[in-house]
Amino acid sequence: MATVSVYNIEGKEVGTMDLSDDVFGVEVNEHLVHKAVVSQLANKRQGTQKAKTRSEVSGGGRKPWRQKGTGHARQGSTRAPQWTGGGVVFAPVPRDYSVKMNKKEKRAALKSALSSKVEEKKFIVIDEMNFDEIKTKRFQEVLNNLNINKALVVLEDDNKNVEISARNIPDVKTAHTNTINVYDILKYNTVIATKAVVATIEEVYA
């Protein structure tokens, strides 16, 4: 069972916390982590790109000149790809780029990503983070106290003041326990979570 330090928003260590091996101590499955990232990025693609082939472009039904005797190369249509206004060779058509993963694979990939952050000592637990008002400067001070710049901050669902305070800070993204994903965990150098969030993650994903 991994044990991590618990900090307050001033950056001082105020205790320790044991993390569940079922979530934060699993063997990292690089194949599933890679598949999860590929799936997430592929599923973002709309797949609506479209261009017309020579069979779809209007016009060009008549042969532009006779086959022989003109000195020109032979041509069958003014809508062939080499002509201005002609069709596109191997034109893109609407398609579905999505990559499917079943629930067990998604869960295992997420556990692997979290476990890798714990192994790298880039999983920071804070006792609590509550702001009385929306203040970007105060959130930046918390990051400075923890000596962190690029971070994924996982918050409770009702923690609006902190969430909005972090909105304008570059290289910082906030998430909830039900919106964390493998891509974001790997993209940001450090994952920051409160003790309450860690308990919820262990309850949901154990």
Side-chain angles (χ1 to χ4, degrees):
M1 182 175 286
T3 302
V4 294
S5 299
V6 179
Y7 299 90
N8 59 19
I9 58 176
E10 280 76 39
K12 297 177 182 177
E13 187 174 341
V14 293
T16 59
M17 183 177 188
D18 293 330
L19 301 178
S20 170
D21 285 341
D22 292 336
V23 179
F24 297 97
V26 303
E27 184 178 350
V28 178
N29 189 325
E30 292 184 5
H31 168 67
L32 285 182
V33 171
H34 176 263
K35 187 175 179 181
V37 172
V38 170
S39 174
Q40 187 171 340
L41 295 179
N43 293 348
K44 283 183 176 181
R45 298 183 68 176
Q46 288 182 314
T48 54
Q49 188 182 16
K50 176 73 173 74
K52 290 183 178 181
T53 63
R54 63 182 295 172
S55 66
E56 297 169 314
V57 177
S58 62
R62 174 178 162 274
K63 190 174 175 67
W65 52 72
R66 60 196 174 92
Q67 182 82 347
K68 292 178 176 292
T70 63
H72 295 298
R74 55 195 173 189
Q75 300 291 331
S77 168
T78 56
R79 290 299 175 257
Q82 71 270 21
W83 285 74
T84 300
V88 178
V89 182
F90 306 129
V93 294
R95 56 170 288 193
D96 180 13
Y97 287 97
S98 63
V99 177
K100 293 183 179 179
M101 289 183 71
N102 62 45
K103 289 181 180 179
K104 284 186 178 180
E105 287 178 325
K106 289 179 182 177
R107 186 178 289 254
L110 187 66
K111 289 180 181 180
S112 291
L114 290 170
S115 297
S116 69
K117 286 297 182 185
V118 173
E119 283 181 15
E120 297 166 4
K121 300 189 184 303
K122 292 182 178 179
F123 187 84
I124 306 297
V125 180
I126 296 179
D127 57 351
E128 60 180 9
M129 190 185 294
N130 295 307
F131 291 178
D132 297 329
E133 58 179 342
I134 297 170
K135 200 77 173 175
T136 302
K137 184 178 179 180
R138 189 178 179 198
F139 191 94
Q140 184 62 58
E141 288 173 354
V142 173
L143 295 179
N144 294 340
N145 292 338
L146 295 169
N147 197 24
I148 292 169
N149 48 16
K150 190 175 182 180
L152 174 68
V153 183
V154 189
L155 302 168
E156 301 91 341
D157 293 346
D158 57 350
N159 206 336
K160 285 293 180 185
N161 285 355
V162 176
E163 190 174 337
I164 298 174
S165 297
R167 187 177 291 171
N168 287 334
I169 300 179
D171 295 328
V172 170
K173 181 176 181 177
T174 58
H176 299 151
T177 51
N178 60 340
T179 62
I180 55 174
N181 58 76
V182 175
Y183 178 74
D184 284 341
I185 292 171
L186 298 181
K187 179 181 177 181
Y188 293 90
N189 293 339
T190 309
V191 177
I192 301 174
T194 63
K195 289 176 68 175
V197 165
V198 172
T200 303
I201 291 174
E202 290 180 342
E203 184 180 340
V204 173
Y205 294 102

